[in-house]
Amino acid sequence: MKYPAFIVVALVLLATVVTGREREPAPEPVRASYAPALEIAPLARERRETEVEDIFSVPPVVLPAIPKAEPAPAPTTPPLPFSYLGRMKKGERTTLYLLRNQDMLIVEEGATLDGAYRVERISDTTAHFVYLPLGTAQTLAIPPVP
């Protein structure tokens, strides 16, 4: 029978703790039944007859006239980069020995040099070249045989 007394004591203690923490309910706010009428007439604006300046407008920008570019000059044929060293003639076939930047070149008619020059014809006094990018003819003087 110890237990029923213990339960009663626990309930009494619990009741004292809970009753000490109760609060009174908060009063409800009182609502005013009188609201003054809002006058809208002072808030209205009259329209002006004059136009209002737009402060965000951008003034027109006048760009200076761009001068017309002159057409590029026509490409010109560079001077022949070869100098004559010697020749060898065997029957109707002539072989030329040319020098270009410390390199010796051995050429005959119809040969293409550096993809830019073609040997068209070799005579006793001149070697005729064609500069391939422009199709222009150039000649290299060959000294006569003594």
PDB file of all heavy atoms in Angstrom, residues 95-136:
ATOM      1  N   THR A  95      73.093  24.803-118.112  1.00  0.00           N
ATOM      2  CA  THR A  95      72.878  24.754-116.657  1.00  0.00           C
ATOM      3  C   THR A  95      73.494  26.003-116.052  1.00  0.00           C
ATOM      4  O   THR A  95      74.614  26.366-116.356  1.00  0.00           O
ATOM      5  CB  THR A  95      73.544  23.497-116.061  1.00  0.00           C
ATOM      6  OG1 THR A  95      73.041  22.338-116.723  1.00  0.00           O
ATOM      7  CG2 THR A  95      73.260  23.396-114.586  1.00  0.00           C
ATOM      8  N   LEU A  96      72.703  26.682-115.189  1.00  0.00           N
ATOM      9  CA  LEU A  96      73.189  27.885-114.511  1.00  0.00           C
ATOM     10  C   LEU A  96      73.523  27.570-113.056  1.00  0.00           C
ATOM     11  O   LEU A  96      72.844  26.781-112.401  1.00  0.00           O
ATOM     12  CB  LEU A  96      72.128  28.993-114.525  1.00  0.00           C
ATOM     13  CG  LEU A  96      71.866  29.726-115.826  1.00  0.00           C
ATOM     14  CD1 LEU A  96      70.784  30.773-115.607  1.00  0.00           C
ATOM     15  CD2 LEU A  96      73.124  30.391-116.325  1.00  0.00           C
ATOM     16  N   TYR A  97      74.560  28.232-112.571  1.00  0.00           N
ATOM     17  CA  TYR A  97      74.935  28.168-111.163  1.00  0.00           C
ATOM     18  C   TYR A  97      74.649  29.549-110.580  1.00  0.00           C
ATOM     19  O   TYR A  97      75.240  30.546-110.977  1.00  0.00           O
ATOM     20  CB  TYR A  97      76.417  27.803-111.017  1.00  0.00           C
ATOM     21  CG  TYR A  97      76.726  26.431-111.580  1.00  0.00           C
ATOM     22  CD1 TYR A  97      77.178  26.285-112.891  1.00  0.00           C
ATOM     23  CD2 TYR A  97      76.543  25.298-110.798  1.00  0.00           C
ATOM     24  CE1 TYR A  97      77.445  25.031-113.409  1.00  0.00           C
ATOM     25  CE2 TYR A  97      76.813  24.039-111.321  1.00  0.00           C
ATOM     26  CZ  TYR A  97      77.257  23.921-112.613  1.00  0.00           C
ATOM     27  OH  TYR A  97      77.502  22.675-113.125  1.00  0.00           O
ATOM     28  N   LEU A  98      73.697  29.579-109.639  1.00  0.00           N
ATOM     29  CA  LEU A  98      73.262  30.845-109.039  1.00  0.00           C
ATOM     30  C   LEU A  98      73.559  30.827-107.544  1.00  0.00           C
ATOM     31  O   LEU A  98      73.691  29.770-106.929  1.00  0.00           O
ATOM     32  CB  LEU A  98      71.765  31.059-109.267  1.00  0.00           C
ATOM     33  CG  LEU A  98      71.272  31.041-110.716  1.00  0.00           C
ATOM     34  CD1 LEU A  98      69.756  31.132-110.744  1.00  0.00           C
ATOM     35  CD2 LEU A  98      71.898  32.177-111.494  1.00  0.00           C
ATOM     36  N   LEU A  99      73.633  32.013-106.974  1.00  0.00           N
ATOM     37  CA  LEU A  99      73.880  32.154-105.545  1.00  0.00           C
ATOM     38  C   LEU A  99      72.719  32.925-104.923  1.00  0.00           C
ATOM     39  O   LEU A  99      72.295  33.962-105.437  1.00  0.00           O
ATOM     40  CB  LEU A  99      75.191  32.917-105.308  1.00  0.00           C
ATOM     41  CG  LEU A  99      75.627  33.064-103.860  1.00  0.00           C
ATOM     42  CD1 LEU A  99      75.982  31.708-103.270  1.00  0.00           C
ATOM     43  CD2 LEU A  99      76.808  34.010-103.763  1.00  0.00           C
ATOM     44  N   ARG A 100      72.210  32.380-103.817  1.00  0.00           N
ATOM     45  CA  ARG A 100      71.154  33.072-103.065  1.00  0.00           C
ATOM     46  C   ARG A 100      71.463  32.894-101.578  1.00  0.00           C
ATOM     47  O   ARG A 100      71.402  31.789-101.058  1.00  0.00           O
ATOM     48  CB  ARG A 100      69.776  32.500-103.373  1.00  0.00           C
ATOM     49  CG  ARG A 100      68.690  33.186-102.550  1.00  0.00           C
ATOM     50  CD  ARG A 100      67.330  32.637-102.804  1.00  0.00           C
ATOM     51  NE  ARG A 100      66.373  33.417-102.055  1.00  0.00           N
ATOM     52  CZ  ARG A 100      65.089  33.308-102.168  1.00  0.00           C
ATOM     53  NH1 ARG A 100      64.594  32.449-103.038  1.00  0.00           N
ATOM     54  NH2 ARG A 100      64.296  34.050-101.463  1.00  0.00           N
ATOM     55  N   ASN A 101      71.784  33.986-100.895  1.00  0.00           N
ATOM     56  CA  ASN A 101      72.067  33.967 -99.448  1.00  0.00           C
ATOM     57  C   ASN A 101      73.048  32.863 -99.067  1.00  0.00           C
ATOM     58  O   ASN A 101      72.750  32.025 -98.224  1.00  0.00           O
ATOM     59  CB  ASN A 101      70.773  33.809 -98.637  1.00  0.00           C
ATOM     60  CG  ASN A 101      69.818  34.931 -98.843  1.00  0.00           C
ATOM     61  OD1 ASN A 101      70.214  36.045 -99.160  1.00  0.00           O
ATOM     62  ND2 ASN A 101      68.543  34.656 -98.667  1.00  0.00           N
ATOM     63  N   GLN A 102      74.162  32.798 -99.658  1.00  0.00           N
ATOM     64  CA  GLN A 102      75.205  31.831 -99.355  1.00  0.00           C
ATOM     65  C   GLN A 102      74.879  30.402 -99.819  1.00  0.00           C
ATOM     66  O   GLN A 102      75.628  29.486 -99.530  1.00  0.00           O
ATOM     67  CB  GLN A 102      75.511  31.795 -97.841  1.00  0.00           C
ATOM     68  CG  GLN A 102      75.873  33.126 -97.229  1.00  0.00           C
ATOM     69  CD  GLN A 102      77.213  33.639 -97.724  1.00  0.00           C
ATOM     70  OE1 GLN A 102      78.106  32.866 -98.032  1.00  0.00           O
ATOM     71  NE2 GLN A 102      77.332  34.945 -97.829  1.00  0.00           N
ATOM     72  N   ASP A 103      73.745  30.212-100.499  1.00  0.00           N
ATOM     73  CA  ASP A 103      73.379  28.890-101.008  1.00  0.00           C
ATOM     74  C   ASP A 103      73.591  28.871-102.514  1.00  0.00           C
ATOM     75  O   ASP A 103      73.138  29.775-103.228  1.00  0.00           O
ATOM     76  CB  ASP A 103      71.912  28.564-100.700  1.00  0.00           C
ATOM     77  CG  ASP A 103      71.642  28.431 -99.214  1.00  0.00           C
ATOM     78  OD1 ASP A 103      72.552  27.981 -98.503  1.00  0.00           O
ATOM     79  OD2 ASP A 103      70.522  28.776 -98.784  1.00  0.00           O
ATOM     80  N   MET A 104      74.234  27.799-103.007  1.00  0.00           N
ATOM     81  CA  MET A 104      74.424  27.666-104.445  1.00  0.00           C
ATOM     82  C   MET A 104      73.274  26.836-105.011  1.00  0.00           C
ATOM     83  O   MET A 104      72.920  25.790-104.469  1.00  0.00           O
ATOM     84  CB  MET A 104      75.750  26.977-104.765  1.00  0.00           C
ATOM     85  CG  MET A 104      76.040  26.971-106.254  1.00  0.00           C
ATOM     86  SD  MET A 104      77.676  26.379-106.663  1.00  0.00           S
ATOM     87  CE  MET A 104      77.388  24.637-106.698  1.00  0.00           C
ATOM     88  N   LEU A 105      72.684  27.345-106.088  1.00  0.00           N
ATOM     89  CA  LEU A 105      71.570  26.671-106.755  1.00  0.00           C
ATOM     90  C   LEU A 105      72.010  26.272-108.155  1.00  0.00           C
ATOM     91  O   LEU A 105      72.653  27.052-108.859  1.00  0.00           O
ATOM     92  CB  LEU A 105      70.352  27.595-106.826  1.00  0.00           C
ATOM     93  CG  LEU A 105      69.861  28.194-105.500  1.00  0.00           C
ATOM     94  CD1 LEU A 105      68.829  29.269-105.768  1.00  0.00           C
ATOM     95  CD2 LEU A 105      69.265  27.112-104.631  1.00  0.00           C
ATOM     96  N   ILE A 106      71.656  25.084-108.588  1.00  0.00           N
ATOM     97  CA  ILE A 106      71.940  24.611-109.946  1.00  0.00           C
ATOM     98  C   ILE A 106      70.587  24.489-110.631  1.00  0.00           C
ATOM     99  O   ILE A 106      69.718  23.721-110.200  1.00  0.00           O
ATOM    100  CB  ILE A 106      72.669  23.258-109.910  1.00  0.00           C
ATOM    101  CG1 ILE A 106      73.965  23.386-109.125  1.00  0.00           C
ATOM    102  CG2 ILE A 106      72.935  22.758-111.321  1.00  0.00           C
ATOM    103  CD1 ILE A 106      74.650  22.074-108.820  1.00  0.00           C
ATOM    104  N   VAL A 107      70.380  25.297-111.705  1.00  0.00           N
ATOM    105  CA  VAL A 107      69.060  25.349-112.345  1.00  0.00           C
ATOM    106  C   VAL A 107      69.177  25.175-113.853  1.00  0.00           C
ATOM    107  O   VAL A 107      70.215  25.451-114.459  1.00  0.00           O
ATOM    108  CB  VAL A 107      68.344  26.681-112.034  1.00  0.00           C
ATOM    109  CG1 VAL A 107      68.094  26.826-110.555  1.00  0.00           C
ATOM    110  CG2 VAL A 107      69.116  27.869-112.552  1.00  0.00           C
ATOM    111  N   GLU A 108      68.065  24.708-114.429  1.00  0.00           N
ATOM    112  CA  GLU A 108      67.918  24.602-115.882  1.00  0.00           C
ATOM    113  C   GLU A 108      66.575  25.212-116.238  1.00  0.00           C
ATOM    114  O   GLU A 108      65.769  25.551-115.359  1.00  0.00           O
ATOM    115  CB  GLU A 108      67.967  23.135-116.311  1.00  0.00           C
ATOM    116  CG  GLU A 108      69.315  22.491-116.100  1.00  0.00           C
ATOM    117  CD  GLU A 108      69.342  21.040-116.556  1.00  0.00           C
ATOM    118  OE1 GLU A 108      68.260  20.465-116.805  1.00  0.00           O
ATOM    119  OE2 GLU A 108      70.433  20.482-116.644  1.00  0.00           O
ATOM    120  N   GLU A 109      66.292  25.312-117.528  1.00  0.00           N
ATOM    121  CA  GLU A 109      65.006  25.860-117.977  1.00  0.00           C
ATOM    122  C   GLU A 109      63.860  25.012-117.421  1.00  0.00           C
ATOM    123  O   GLU A 109      63.937  23.794-117.386  1.00  0.00           O
ATOM    124  CB  GLU A 109      64.936  25.883-119.505  1.00  0.00           C
ATOM    125  CG  GLU A 109      65.784  26.962-120.122  1.00  0.00           C
ATOM    126  CD  GLU A 109      65.620  27.034-121.639  1.00  0.00           C
ATOM    127  OE1 GLU A 109      64.749  26.334-122.205  1.00  0.00           O
ATOM    128  OE2 GLU A 109      66.364  27.793-122.248  1.00  0.00           O
ATOM    129  N   GLY A 110      62.809  25.709-116.956  1.00  0.00           N
ATOM    130  CA  GLY A 110      61.621  25.031-116.427  1.00  0.00           C
ATOM    131  C   GLY A 110      61.688  24.766-114.923  1.00  0.00           C
ATOM    132  O   GLY A 110      60.704  24.325-114.330  1.00  0.00           O
ATOM    133  N   ALA A 111      62.825  25.022-114.287  1.00  0.00           N
ATOM    134  CA  ALA A 111      62.949  24.764-112.854  1.00  0.00           C
ATOM    135  C   ALA A 111      62.192  25.831-112.047  1.00  0.00           C
ATOM    136  O   ALA A 111      62.103  26.987-112.451  1.00  0.00           O
ATOM    137  CB  ALA A 111      64.424  24.766-112.453  1.00  0.00           C
ATOM    138  N   THR A 112      61.639  25.420-110.900  1.00  0.00           N
ATOM    139  CA  THR A 112      60.963  26.336-109.984  1.00  0.00           C
ATOM    140  C   THR A 112      61.816  26.477-108.736  1.00  0.00           C
ATOM    141  O   THR A 112      62.230  25.486-108.147  1.00  0.00           O
ATOM    142  CB  THR A 112      59.563  25.804-109.608  1.00  0.00           C
ATOM    143  OG1 THR A 112      58.809  25.619-110.806  1.00  0.00           O
ATOM    144  CG2 THR A 112      58.825  26.767-108.699  1.00  0.00           C
ATOM    145  N   LEU A 113      62.081  27.709-108.350  1.00  0.00           N
ATOM    146  CA  LEU A 113      62.941  28.002-107.205  1.00  0.00           C
ATOM    147  C   LEU A 113      62.120  28.566-106.056  1.00  0.00           C
ATOM    148  O   LEU A 113      61.446  29.593-106.205  1.00  0.00           O
ATOM    149  CB  LEU A 113      64.032  29.003-107.605  1.00  0.00           C
ATOM    150  CG  LEU A 113      64.869  28.610-108.826  1.00  0.00           C
ATOM    151  CD1 LEU A 113      65.741  29.768-109.249  1.00  0.00           C
ATOM    152  CD2 LEU A 113      65.701  27.403-108.508  1.00  0.00           C
ATOM    153  N   ASP A 114      62.178  27.926-104.903  1.00  0.00           N
ATOM    154  CA  ASP A 114      61.488  28.372-103.680  1.00  0.00           C
ATOM    155  C   ASP A 114      59.986  28.554-103.869  1.00  0.00           C
ATOM    156  O   ASP A 114      59.353  29.284-103.119  1.00  0.00           O
ATOM    157  CB  ASP A 114      62.092  29.678-103.157  1.00  0.00           C
ATOM    158  CG  ASP A 114      63.554  29.529-102.793  1.00  0.00           C
ATOM    159  OD1 ASP A 114      63.964  28.406-102.439  1.00  0.00           O
ATOM    160  OD2 ASP A 114      64.276  30.534-102.864  1.00  0.00           O
ATOM    161  N   GLY A 115      59.404  27.961-104.855  1.00  0.00           N
ATOM    162  CA  GLY A 115      57.970  28.098-105.103  1.00  0.00           C
ATOM    163  C   GLY A 115      57.556  29.487-105.556  1.00  0.00           C
ATOM    164  O   GLY A 115      56.371  29.765-105.689  1.00  0.00           O
ATOM    165  N   ALA A 116      58.525  30.370-105.795  1.00  0.00           N
ATOM    166  CA  ALA A 116      58.194  31.746-106.156  1.00  0.00           C
ATOM    167  C   ALA A 116      58.734  32.151-107.526  1.00  0.00           C
ATOM    168  O   ALA A 116      58.201  33.068-108.147  1.00  0.00           O
ATOM    169  CB  ALA A 116      58.718  32.713-105.104  1.00  0.00           C
ATOM    170  N   TYR A 117      59.775  31.500-108.012  1.00  0.00           N
ATOM    171  CA  TYR A 117      60.390  31.867-109.298  1.00  0.00           C
ATOM    172  C   TYR A 117      60.463  30.633-110.182  1.00  0.00           C
ATOM    173  O   TYR A 117      60.771  29.539-109.718  1.00  0.00           O
ATOM    174  CB  TYR A 117      61.803  32.424-109.077  1.00  0.00           C
ATOM    175  CG  TYR A 117      61.819  33.750-108.361  1.00  0.00           C
ATOM    176  CD1 TYR A 117      61.982  33.821-106.983  1.00  0.00           C
ATOM    177  CD2 TYR A 117      61.666  34.935-109.068  1.00  0.00           C
ATOM    178  CE1 TYR A 117      61.996  35.025-106.331  1.00  0.00           C
ATOM    179  CE2 TYR A 117      61.683  36.144-108.412  1.00  0.00           C
ATOM    180  CZ  TYR A 117      61.845  36.192-107.044  1.00  0.00           C
ATOM    181  OH  TYR A 117      61.848  37.400-106.396  1.00  0.00           O
ATOM    182  N   ARG A 118      60.202  30.847-111.464  1.00  0.00           N
ATOM    183  CA  ARG A 118      60.361  29.772-112.451  1.00  0.00           C
ATOM    184  C   ARG A 118      61.324  30.269-113.528  1.00  0.00           C
ATOM    185  O   ARG A 118      61.202  31.403-113.996  1.00  0.00           O
ATOM    186  CB  ARG A 118      59.021  29.390-113.070  1.00  0.00           C
ATOM    187  CG  ARG A 118      59.151  28.213-114.043  1.00  0.00           C
ATOM    188  CD  ARG A 118      57.837  27.727-114.619  1.00  0.00           C
ATOM    189  NE  ARG A 118      57.186  28.789-115.378  1.00  0.00           N
ATOM    190  CZ  ARG A 118      55.942  29.218-115.138  1.00  0.00           C
ATOM    191  NH1 ARG A 118      55.223  28.683-114.184  1.00  0.00           N
ATOM    192  NH2 ARG A 118      55.427  30.176-115.852  1.00  0.00           N
ATOM    193  N   VAL A 119      62.275  29.404-113.916  1.00  0.00           N
ATOM    194  CA  VAL A 119      63.227  29.749-114.970  1.00  0.00           C
ATOM    195  C   VAL A 119      62.533  29.453-116.300  1.00  0.00           C
ATOM    196  O   VAL A 119      62.242  28.310-116.631  1.00  0.00           O
ATOM    197  CB  VAL A 119      64.531  28.920-114.844  1.00  0.00           C
ATOM    198  CG1 VAL A 119      65.507  29.308-115.943  1.00  0.00           C
ATOM    199  CG2 VAL A 119      65.144  29.096-113.473  1.00  0.00           C
ATOM    200  N   GLU A 120      62.239  30.509-117.051  1.00  0.00           N
ATOM    201  CA  GLU A 120      61.528  30.355-118.323  1.00  0.00           C
ATOM    202  C   GLU A 120      62.485  30.004-119.464  1.00  0.00           C
ATOM    203  O   GLU A 120      62.233  29.078-120.225  1.00  0.00           O
ATOM    204  CB  GLU A 120      60.771  31.647-118.672  1.00  0.00           C
ATOM    205  CG  GLU A 120      59.515  31.855-117.866  1.00  0.00           C
ATOM    206  CD  GLU A 120      58.431  30.861-118.223  1.00  0.00           C
ATOM    207  OE1 GLU A 120      58.088  30.716-119.411  1.00  0.00           O
ATOM    208  OE2 GLU A 120      57.915  30.228-117.283  1.00  0.00           O
ATOM    209  N   ARG A 121      63.545  30.788-119.567  1.00  0.00           N
ATOM    210  CA  ARG A 121      64.454  30.613-120.716  1.00  0.00           C
ATOM    211  C   ARG A 121      65.840  31.072-120.323  1.00  0.00           C
ATOM    212  O   ARG A 121      66.000  32.015-119.558  1.00  0.00           O
ATOM    213  CB  ARG A 121      63.929  31.442-121.899  1.00  0.00           C
ATOM    214  CG  ARG A 121      64.612  31.227-123.208  1.00  0.00           C
ATOM    215  CD  ARG A 121      63.832  31.868-124.374  1.00  0.00           C
ATOM    216  NE  ARG A 121      63.331  33.201-124.106  1.00  0.00           N
ATOM    217  CZ  ARG A 121      63.969  34.324-124.440  1.00  0.00           C
ATOM    218  NH1 ARG A 121      65.120  34.273-125.052  1.00  0.00           N
ATOM    219  NH2 ARG A 121      63.436  35.499-124.177  1.00  0.00           N
ATOM    220  N   ILE A 122      66.851  30.388-120.870  1.00  0.00           N
ATOM    221  CA  ILE A 122      68.244  30.777-120.633  1.00  0.00           C
ATOM    222  C   ILE A 122      68.879  31.018-121.998  1.00  0.00           C
ATOM    223  O   ILE A 122      68.882  30.144-122.865  1.00  0.00           O
ATOM    224  CB  ILE A 122      69.022  29.676-119.886  1.00  0.00           C
ATOM    225  CG1 ILE A 122      68.369  29.399-118.519  1.00  0.00           C
ATOM    226  CG2 ILE A 122      70.483  30.078-119.702  1.00  0.00           C
ATOM    227  CD1 ILE A 122      68.938  28.211-117.789  1.00  0.00           C
ATOM    228  N   SER A 123      69.377  32.240-122.201  1.00  0.00           N
ATOM    229  CA  SER A 123      70.070  32.557-123.455  1.00  0.00           C
ATOM    230  C   SER A 123      71.543  32.804-123.141  1.00  0.00           C
ATOM    231  O   SER A 123      71.977  32.653-122.003  1.00  0.00           O
ATOM    232  CB  SER A 123      69.437  33.779-124.123  1.00  0.00           C
ATOM    233  OG  SER A 123      69.707  34.933-123.356  1.00  0.00           O
ATOM    234  N   ASP A 124      72.301  33.210-124.140  1.00  0.00           N
ATOM    235  CA  ASP A 124      73.735  33.442-123.919  1.00  0.00           C
ATOM    236  C   ASP A 124      73.999  34.672-123.064  1.00  0.00           C
ATOM    237  O   ASP A 124      75.039  34.760-122.400  1.00  0.00           O
ATOM    238  CB  ASP A 124      74.460  33.609-125.268  1.00  0.00           C
ATOM    239  CG  ASP A 124      74.528  32.295-126.024  1.00  0.00           C
ATOM    240  OD1 ASP A 124      74.437  31.233-125.367  1.00  0.00           O
ATOM    241  OD2 ASP A 124      74.660  32.326-127.270  1.00  0.00           O
ATOM    242  N   THR A 125      73.067  35.647-123.027  1.00  0.00           N
ATOM    243  CA  THR A 125      73.310  36.895-122.293  1.00  0.00           C
ATOM    244  C   THR A 125      72.346  37.129-121.124  1.00  0.00           C
ATOM    245  O   THR A 125      72.627  37.975-120.275  1.00  0.00           O
ATOM    246  CB  THR A 125      73.195  38.097-123.241  1.00  0.00           C
ATOM    247  OG1 THR A 125      71.900  38.079-123.843  1.00  0.00           O
ATOM    248  CG2 THR A 125      74.276  38.056-124.301  1.00  0.00           C
ATOM    249  N   THR A 126      71.206  36.402-121.057  1.00  0.00           N
ATOM    250  CA  THR A 126      70.222  36.622-119.984  1.00  0.00           C
ATOM    251  C   THR A 126      69.553  35.318-119.560  1.00  0.00           C
ATOM    252  O   THR A 126      69.456  34.366-120.330  1.00  0.00           O
ATOM    253  CB  THR A 126      69.111  37.598-120.421  1.00  0.00           C
ATOM    254  OG1 THR A 126      68.494  37.101-121.588  1.00  0.00           O
ATOM    255  CG2 THR A 126      69.625  38.999-120.631  1.00  0.00           C
ATOM    256  N   ALA A 127      69.095  35.345-118.326  1.00  0.00           N
ATOM    257  CA  ALA A 127      68.235  34.266-117.817  1.00  0.00           C
ATOM    258  C   ALA A 127      66.890  34.918-117.517  1.00  0.00           C
ATOM    259  O   ALA A 127      66.812  35.929-116.820  1.00  0.00           O
ATOM    260  CB  ALA A 127      68.825  33.649-116.565  1.00  0.00           C
ATOM    261  N   HIS A 128      65.814  34.359-118.074  1.00  0.00           N
ATOM    262  CA  HIS A 128      64.468  34.927-117.921  1.00  0.00           C
ATOM    263  C   HIS A 128      63.711  34.151-116.833  1.00  0.00           C
ATOM    264  O   HIS A 128      63.566  32.930-116.915  1.00  0.00           O
ATOM    265  CB  HIS A 128      63.712  34.855-119.253  1.00  0.00           C
ATOM    266  CG  HIS A 128      64.378  35.637-120.338  1.00  0.00           C
ATOM    267  ND1 HIS A 128      64.145  36.962-120.527  1.00  0.00           N
ATOM    268  CD2 HIS A 128      65.296  35.276-121.281  1.00  0.00           C
ATOM    269  CE1 HIS A 128      64.863  37.403-121.545  1.00  0.00           C
ATOM    270  NE2 HIS A 128      65.587  36.387-122.023  1.00  0.00           N
ATOM    271  N   PHE A 129      63.245  34.894-115.824  1.00  0.00           N
ATOM    272  CA  PHE A 129      62.492  34.330-114.701  1.00  0.00           C
ATOM    273  C   PHE A 129      61.074  34.879-114.709  1.00  0.00           C
ATOM    274  O   PHE A 129      60.819  35.959-115.223  1.00  0.00           O
ATOM    275  CB  PHE A 129      63.133  34.715-113.361  1.00  0.00           C
ATOM    276  CG  PHE A 129      64.493  34.129-113.126  1.00  0.00           C
ATOM    277  CD1 PHE A 129      65.634  34.790-113.560  1.00  0.00           C
ATOM    278  CD2 PHE A 129      64.623  32.926-112.467  1.00  0.00           C
ATOM    279  CE1 PHE A 129      66.882  34.260-113.325  1.00  0.00           C
ATOM    280  CE2 PHE A 129      65.879  32.388-112.238  1.00  0.00           C
ATOM    281  CZ  PHE A 129      67.021  33.054-112.670  1.00  0.00           C
ATOM    282  N   VAL A 130      60.148  34.132-114.103  1.00  0.00           N
ATOM    283  CA  VAL A 130      58.777  34.601-113.870  1.00  0.00           C
ATOM    284  C   VAL A 130      58.546  34.529-112.367  1.00  0.00           C
ATOM    285  O   VAL A 130      58.738  33.480-111.744  1.00  0.00           O
ATOM    286  CB  VAL A 130      57.735  33.742-114.624  1.00  0.00           C
ATOM    287  CG1 VAL A 130      56.318  34.135-114.218  1.00  0.00           C
ATOM    288  CG2 VAL A 130      57.914  33.869-116.114  1.00  0.00           C
ATOM    289  N   TYR A 131      58.146  35.672-111.790  1.00  0.00           N
ATOM    290  CA  TYR A 131      57.772  35.716-110.376  1.00  0.00           C
ATOM    291  C   TYR A 131      56.341  35.201-110.285  1.00  0.00           C
ATOM    292  O   TYR A 131      55.379  35.840-110.722  1.00  0.00           O
ATOM    293  CB  TYR A 131      57.906  37.147-109.839  1.00  0.00           C
ATOM    294  CG  TYR A 131      57.568  37.297-108.385  1.00  0.00           C
ATOM    295  CD1 TYR A 131      58.318  36.644-107.410  1.00  0.00           C
ATOM    296  CD2 TYR A 131      56.510  38.090-107.964  1.00  0.00           C
ATOM    297  CE1 TYR A 131      58.028  36.779-106.070  1.00  0.00           C
ATOM    298  CE2 TYR A 131      56.209  38.239-106.623  1.00  0.00           C
ATOM    299  CZ  TYR A 131      56.971  37.575-105.690  1.00  0.00           C
ATOM    300  OH  TYR A 131      56.673  37.699-104.352  1.00  0.00           O
ATOM    301  N   LEU A 132      56.165  33.991-109.758  1.00  0.00           N
ATOM    302  CA  LEU A 132      54.882  33.280-109.823  1.00  0.00           C
ATOM    303  C   LEU A 132      53.732  33.958-109.084  1.00  0.00           C
ATOM    304  O   LEU A 132      52.612  33.965-109.601  1.00  0.00           O
ATOM    305  CB  LEU A 132      55.075  31.840-109.322  1.00  0.00           C
ATOM    306  CG  LEU A 132      56.043  31.002-110.173  1.00  0.00           C
ATOM    307  CD1 LEU A 132      56.256  29.637-109.535  1.00  0.00           C
ATOM    308  CD2 LEU A 132      55.523  30.858-111.583  1.00  0.00           C
ATOM    309  N   PRO A 133      53.899  34.564-107.903  1.00  0.00           N
ATOM    310  CA  PRO A 133      52.738  35.179-107.238  1.00  0.00           C
ATOM    311  C   PRO A 133      52.076  36.279-108.066  1.00  0.00           C
ATOM    312  O   PRO A 133      50.859  36.465-107.995  1.00  0.00           O
ATOM    313  CB  PRO A 133      53.306  35.738-105.940  1.00  0.00           C
ATOM    314  CG  PRO A 133      54.494  34.886-105.649  1.00  0.00           C
ATOM    315  CD  PRO A 133      55.063  34.547-106.994  1.00  0.00           C
ATOM    316  N   LEU A 134      52.862  37.023-108.863  1.00  0.00           N
ATOM    317  CA  LEU A 134      52.281  38.111-109.657  1.00  0.00           C
ATOM    318  C   LEU A 134      52.311  37.830-111.158  1.00  0.00           C
ATOM    319  O   LEU A 134      51.693  38.559-111.931  1.00  0.00           O
ATOM    320  CB  LEU A 134      53.023  39.425-109.374  1.00  0.00           C
ATOM    321  CG  LEU A 134      52.930  39.941-107.938  1.00  0.00           C
ATOM    322  CD1 LEU A 134      53.766  41.195-107.773  1.00  0.00           C
ATOM    323  CD2 LEU A 134      51.495  40.192-107.539  1.00  0.00           C
ATOM    324  N   GLY A 135      53.047  36.820-111.561  1.00  0.00           N
ATOM    325  CA  GLY A 135      53.142  36.501-112.992  1.00  0.00           C
ATOM    326  C   GLY A 135      53.974  37.505-113.774  1.00  0.00           C
ATOM    327  O   GLY A 135      53.770  37.659-114.978  1.00  0.00           O
ATOM    328  N   THR A 136      54.894  38.193-113.125  1.00  0.00           N
ATOM    329  CA  THR A 136      55.712  39.198-113.806  1.00  0.00           C
ATOM    330  C   THR A 136      57.053  38.594-114.226  1.00  0.00           C
ATOM    331  O   THR A 136      57.593  37.711-113.565  1.00  0.00           O
ATOM    332  CB  THR A 136      55.967  40.409-112.891  1.00  0.00           C
ATOM    333  OG1 THR A 136      56.542  39.950-111.673  1.00  0.00           O
ATOM    334  CG2 THR A 136      54.685  41.157-112.598  1.00  0.00           C
TER     335      THR A 136
END
